[in-house]
């Protein structure tokens, strides 16, 4: 498609873009909007605006709008989340962790306390070491296979029916996927 070479001609012709062939003030050689600026400059500004917006804490209104959007589009939101490649998901999680260190620290301390409370006094130091090795094993498997491995309490520490113990024979290393299936089953009525 042929563009007019200046704004005046573009206005006369009633078209939305023109192309001078010369660099803009930021050095782009690109088409320009008749009622605006160079399209590459606009793209840059969008990206910058988005970055800036992400840095800002969300207002209550924005959060409410987000929840409303989710309620109305649950299925497509979930489908989009499920189709995201694992590497991207991990990247996002790492970023979230970086931005919310206090939240993650509290999670770890809650888990630690839960484990300590569920460990009977007669568990030996050797058995404790064995349990720690299971966690290392899960970490190692995650690294080598690329799939997330976790340590599962076969009988959950917290459940409406029974409470499991943090002891060697109640632990096993499984993939996070299996673990999620299990918790879904436990949550089902
Ligand atoms: Zn430009």
């Amino acid at each position: 498609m042929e563009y007019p070479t200046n704004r005046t001609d573009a206005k006369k012709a009633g078209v939305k873009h023109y192309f001078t062939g010369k660099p803009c003030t930021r050095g782009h050689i690109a088409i320009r909007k008749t009622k605006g600026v160079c399209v590459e400059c606009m793209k840059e500004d969008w990206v910058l605006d988005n970055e800036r917006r992400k840095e800002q804490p969300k207002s209550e209104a924005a959060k409410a709008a987000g929840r409303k959007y989710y309620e109305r589009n649950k299925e497509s939101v979930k489908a989009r989340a499920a189709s995201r490649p694992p590497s991207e998901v991990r990247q996002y999680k790492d970023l979230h962790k970086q931005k919310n260190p206090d939240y993650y620290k509290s999670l770890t301390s809650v888990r630690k306390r839960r484990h300590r409370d569920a460990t009977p006094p007669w568990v030996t130091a050797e058995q404790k070491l064995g349990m720690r090795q299971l966690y290392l094993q899960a970490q190692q498997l995650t690294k080598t296979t690329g799939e997330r491995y976790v340590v599962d309490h076969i009988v959950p520490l917290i459940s409406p029916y029974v409470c499991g113990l943090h002891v060697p024979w109640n632990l096993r290393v499984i993939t996070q996927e299996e673990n999620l299936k299990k918790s879904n089953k436990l949550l089902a009525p």
Side-chain angles (χ1 to χ4, degrees):
M1 156 159 184
E2 283 277 302
Y3 293 104
T5 55
N6 59 68
R7 176 170 281 148
T8 317
D9 287 353
K11 265 188 198 162
K12 264 187 224 153
V15 294
K16 286 182 176 166
H17 299 95
Y18 66 100
F19 182 64
T20 65
K22 290 176 203 148
C24 73
T25 50
R26 292 188 199 167
H28 307 119
I29 300 177
I31 59 170
R32 298 180 193 175
K33 282 222 157 204
T34 310
K35 287 185 186 169
V37 294
C38 146
V39 293
E40 289 303 320
C41 283
M42 288 174 69
K43 273 187 214 162
E44 279 183 5
D45 290 345
W46 283 331
V47 172
L48 280 178
D49 275 354
N50 266 327
E51 294 295 318
R52 245 175 259 142
R53 203 165 319 134
K54 276 186 209 161
E55 296 298 314
Q56 300 291 327
K58 276 192 183 169
S59 68
E60 284 310 312
K63 281 183 195 164
R67 278 194 292 269
K68 215 166 148 192
Y69 177 86
Y70 175 72
E71 281 308 317
R72 258 181 294 135
N73 303 282
K74 245 181 205 171
E75 293 314 311
S76 64
V77 171
K78 278 183 188 166
R80 221 181 312 140
S83 69
R84 228 164 259 149
S87 60
E88 206 175 285
V89 175
R90 194 156 314 149
Q91 229 173 18
Y92 180 79
K93 279 185 183 165
D94 289 345
L95 192 69
H96 191 257
K97 217 167 175 172
Q98 251 177 42
K99 281 189 183 167
N100 306 281
D102 291 341
Y103 170 69
Y104 284 90
K105 253 179 243 157
S106 78
L107 276 190
T108 318
S109 65
V110 164
R111 198 175 301 151
K112 269 188 192 156
R113 186 166 356 109
R114 200 175 281 163
H115 285 178
R116 201 176 50 223
D117 291 348
T119 310
W122 39 257
V123 171
T124 67
E126 206 180 18
Q127 286 169 329
K128 281 182 189 165
L129 188 67
M131 293 199 282
R132 213 165 303 143
Q133 269 158 0
L134 285 180
Y135 286 88
L136 291 176
Q137 197 187 326
Q139 265 176 26
Q140 206 61 42
L141 279 168
T142 301
K143 243 185 239 164
T144 51
T145 64
E147 194 174 357
R148 186 80 88 181
Y149 277 80
V150 294
V151 176
D152 171 50
H153 291 94
I154 299 166
V155 179
L157 299 189
I158 296 172
S159 120
Y161 319 108
V162 282
C163 285
L165 293 176
H166 191 59
V167 291
W169 49 93
N170 192 30
L171 296 183
R172 59 175 175 166
V173 175
I174 59 172
T175 63
Q176 190 167 40
E177 203 184 339
E178 287 174 279
N179 196 37
L180 283 176
K181 274 187 210 148
K182 179 185 160 185
S183 44
N184 286 343
K185 221 184 284 168
L186 287 171
L187 287 173

